[in-house]
Amino acid sequence: MAPCIQLHRFLQLQDKERTHLFTFLVENPHEISTFDVRSREFHFAGHRWYVYTGKPNNEYFSFYLRIVNLGKDVKVNTVYSFNVINLVNCQNNYTYFSPPGGRVFSRNDDALSWGWKEFIRRETLLKPNGGFLFDGNKSLVELECKTYKTVIEETIQLPILSPNHPFPMVHTSPFSVGGFAWQIRIFPDGPDEENKGNVALFLHCTTANHLVKVKARFLIEGQPSPVVYEHTFPANCISEMPSGVAFPNRSEFMKSLTDNKLRVGIEFVGVTEVNEVHVTLSEPTSYPTVCVTPFEDLSGCPWVLKTLQASKLKLKLDQNEKTTTGLMEFYHRHVIWNATLVAPSADDCSMNIPLNTKGSLIGYFGENWSDADVIKSDVAIEDLTVDDNLYRTDVDDGYDRYSYISLHVEILSNHLLYKTPAPSPTGDRERKLLYSARKDRTQLHLKYQELLRHKTALESKCHNLERERSRLGFNNQQQNIEDDDDVTKEEIVPDFTKLLFDLMNDLSRRATLKSKQPSLESDKSHRPYRPPTITEKEMNKKYHEYRSDFSQLVKDCRLKPSKSATLQQKVDEIHQQMIEYIETKSGIRITKTVVSGSLGTDTCSSNRIDVDLHIFSPNFPRNGHVMWLPSLIMGLKCLLEDGSNEGKLEHLSQFICSSYSVQMLAYGEIEVDIYPSYDWQHQINDVITTTSSQPSSGGGYDGFYEELLRQRTSENLCWFSPDAAELQKSFIFEQPEQVKTVIRVVKQWRNEVDWKEYKWRPPSYLLMLLVVRAYENTLHDNTSYRNIIKHFIKLVLSTSAHKPARMRISWSRFYDPDDYNIEYSGSESSRDSPPIVQDPANPANNVAERPISWIPFRRNVQLWANRLMKDVVVDNKKLTGKI
């Protein structure tokens, strides 16, 4: 059976964003092979649209939204998102959002369709137990559109004013919106004597066969009018909006026009079809009676309006016998409508009476059945029978005498739905309530988590203050007992105010530099780059020995056992001292620490000693790092500097702030980086101990991965990398000793290369992952040190630009890589684009994006291979010879 996309459900929310939800049923996605699979056209924002999908390659399915028959100079802006629904666990849904400002659909810019080429992996969608398929061959895709508007602008040549031709008029080219034809009329000298001297704009409707209700604002030179005008254009006559905008044509504004050309436009907020229905009033003696009045909507679809005339007026929209004629099997019509009682003789539309004040009404109409809401108005029939009633029209044509009232029936939407179960207005209202409750629940959950974090922070500060109060009381008691010569041990006094002022000062500094981006970037300092001290001659001599005795290279890269034990003891000492000092002086509750880096993962080379200290606390915010992390790092730097000056942290020196950490030197030889991170694991315990009714899905690494899916840019995702330090360390630490030895060799080489600047230098974590993959590539062959290094070199050089596809490396140790799509810098055609090395602990982190360019990396690896491999020339195409 051929694949198809059918509109399955439709929902229109009465929120300020005017949200429309379209749910599509995708049948037989296994058979999708081209972009020709598209849905039926549907109506939204006064235009016709359709969605289409395809399988552009063997890996991904795509989803696009396209507008139909858009006129010239017409631009439609909307915020939208696609959501592939997982029926087993909604947290596994695949959702992609347009930019916050939405997308502009325009024929002029060849932007009639927008979407995502690589939306969801083919194997993920078609996995039998993945939750995306039901009944074996069906899936659901939800399209959400909101905050929409239609804008038309055109530059008009204004005529030269002449006394012989008073009140000249020019107009724009005709355009179509909502199925109606329009023009903007411009009067350079006003439309009449009363408004002479002003430039006036009017919206003109050139469609004469139907009523239409418009809400719009005018644009002049790109500036919108302060008022949103609302007007119902009558049928059977050429009409224009009675309200417009005017500007004095002798003002400085008009003098500033170039060549007397004016750019005018209009922004449509809403265009609604209106049907005028005349309902005949029955004689009072025959009440209650039912009056059936037929009419046709703009598309020619026939309807009947049933009115029950009793004590109160009641209305119901129903189908004509031709309404569902020709409907295919499994289809029915979904209509949203409303009605207003109008006063035909009144010029003021405020005299009209809305018959329904509880929101729009919903009706379902299938073959030989219907289910629709009923309007129970407050209009009394007796009031309509009074003589000279404003809403009643009396007719006496000589043959018959009767009276009728005029109703405006607004058709807000009209869609054909496919295989929708149990169509009912009640069920539709329930879906609205469930959707609104889902949004409210998400907001309440976020507020709840924020309150939990504030509660935890306050409890921590209270605990520290109570501990300090007890300590001071104990010291006072001891001083009363002991002699005056006894000296109590010096304690660290908390100074929360000092850290707070350091944070505030840095925030002020960043705010001052915010408008000066170059200055802000230059303000970010890093550990100064130090070129290697070994000369080229010494390097060639060493590698001459290594080629003849490879074991000497392995031996030179490893620290001596005594040296390694001493360094580990020093790291443990400064680790304990810094944690106690930070907790006591700042009041930050540190719930977990992770020691990683070269010493923490046992991969330290002999020519560089470094350690990374990750401090985890639930007091830190879980996201928004760009707002708080730089200032927190500056505050921690000032705090540690004070500790060093006071002698509490005497072994630390040379403090520097980077973008993500505080850098320093310990004992004059150990490079230390401190990374503050939010404790995702601790949140589970907070939620469970606070209330048993709250779900714990938002905590742990599952909550961490969910947060990563909400971050759409590489810049934002980089801030989260230290949060996964514990898993990163575990992944490297569990590797065989053979892999760690090769990592030391590669690090030793990296440290001996002059990279000129840190931005060209490959980070240690990237080198570790590449060595791990090189080791995995040798498992079927020879896992010697030489062979692993050979595969490492081949792996790096295989990323050159002439390759047909970008290299992708991932592991399934902590998550399924197929469940996550990551973004990466560069493009397919760019020579400088990095490969994809997916962090085994953080699915949204492409480790290969640092360094900023792989060209120097590949060039230096090639030079290293030439040194290490005898009589062999290495290029970017092939690596031969033996080590």
Side-chain angles (χ1 to χ4, degrees), residues 122-140:
R122 174 181 173 84
E123 57 268 25
T124 301
L125 179 65
L126 303 181
K127 188 183 297 183
N129 299 324
F132 293 101
L133 293 180
F134 66 97
D135 293 343
N137 64 343
K138 300 180 181 67
S139 62
L140 294 176

Side-chain angles (χ1 to χ4, degrees), residues 154-443:
E154 185 176 340
T155 301
I156 299 298
Q157 178 69 53
L158 298 180
I160 299 176
L161 301 181
S162 171
N164 298 328
H165 300 283
F167 315 120
M169 186 272 293
V170 292
H171 57 78
T172 64
S173 303
F175 53 88
S176 176
V177 175
F180 296 87
W182 308 91
Q183 279 183 339
I184 301 176
R185 289 186 171 183
I186 303 100
F187 294 85
D189 199 29
D192 48 35
E193 192 68 35
E194 182 180 354
N195 295 284
K196 185 177 182 180
N198 295 323
V199 177
L201 306 181
F202 292 91
L203 178 63
H204 184 71
C205 181
T206 61
T207 303
N209 61 345
H210 219 85
L211 283 82
V212 58
K213 183 179 179 181
V214 172
K215 292 177 68 175
R217 60 163 57 94
F218 290 96
L219 304 173
I220 187 163
E221 292 296 328
Q223 299 299 320
S225 59
V227 179
V228 176
Y229 300 98
E230 183 173 346
H231 180 62
T232 299
F233 290 83
N236 302 321
C237 65
I238 304 300
S239 174
E240 62 186 20
M241 184 179 289
S243 299
V245 291
F247 293 86
N249 60 8
R250 297 183 182 88
S251 65
E252 294 298 327
F253 169 77
M254 296 302 299
K255 293 179 181 179
S256 64
L257 297 179
T258 304
D259 298 331
N260 206 30
K261 293 181 179 180
L262 181 66
R263 184 160 57 96
V264 298
I266 191 166
E267 175 187 314
F268 286 93
V269 180
V271 180
T272 306
E273 168 194 345
V274 179
N275 303 274
E276 188 170 56
V277 181
H278 294 167
V279 177
T280 303
L281 294 175
S282 303
E283 293 295 333
T285 56
S286 62
Y287 292 158
T289 58
V290 176
C291 180
V292 179
T293 308
F295 69 95
E296 290 187 358
D297 62 14
L298 181 63
S299 62
C301 184
W303 300 94
V304 293
L305 185 66
K306 296 180 179 180
T307 56
L308 175 61
Q309 300 177 21
S311 59
K312 301 288 185 181
L313 180 63
K314 297 182 180 180
L315 298 90
K316 179 181 179 180
L317 183 68
D318 207 344
Q319 58 185 350
N320 188 291
E321 59 182 8
K322 300 180 181 179
T323 303
T324 56
T325 301
L327 280 183
M328 293 182 291
E329 188 180 6
F330 304 120
Y331 283 91
H332 65 268
R333 195 175 297 278
H334 174 278
V335 176
I336 299 179
W337 66 288
N338 216 331
T340 304
L341 177 63
V342 299
S345 58
D347 295 332
D348 188 2
C349 63
S350 63
M351 300 298 296
N352 297 344
I353 302 176
L355 298 179
N356 174 46
T357 58
K358 299 180 180 179
S360 301
L361 300 115
I362 302 168
Y364 292 89
F365 305 94
E367 188 173 8
N368 301 322
W369 63 269
S370 65
D371 192 351
D373 283 332
V374 176
I375 295 181
K376 299 178 181 180
S377 71
D378 295 328
V379 177
I381 294 295
E382 293 182 358
D383 296 339
L384 297 178
T385 59
V386 178
D387 293 338
D388 298 328
N389 186 278
L390 186 63
Y391 302 97
R392 191 184 68 181
T393 303
D394 297 322
V395 178
D396 185 358
D397 56 6
Y399 298 96
D400 193 10
R401 296 180 62 184
Y402 63 93
S403 301
Y404 67 85
I405 57 175
S406 298
L407 301 179
H408 280 182
V409 179
E410 301 177 15
I411 304 296
L412 303 177
S413 73
N414 187 352
H415 294 98
L416 283 178
L417 303 186
Y418 176 74
K419 287 186 177 180
T420 302
S424 169
T426 304
D428 199 275
R429 285 193 295 270
E430 290 176 353
R431 282 194 294 273
K432 284 186 179 181
L433 294 175
L434 287 174
Y435 183 82
S436 300
R438 185 175 66 183
K439 294 178 69 176
D440 294 341
R441 184 183 63 182
T442 302
Q443 295 177 357

Side-chain angles (χ1 to χ4, degrees), residues 829-856:
S829 61
S830 174
R831 187 175 175 229
D832 217 7
S833 298
I836 299 179
V837 181
Q838 202 166 10
D839 191 338
N842 179 355
N845 179 27
N846 181 16
V847 184
E849 289 188 354
R850 278 79 60 194
I852 63 173
S853 172
W854 273 56
I855 296 177

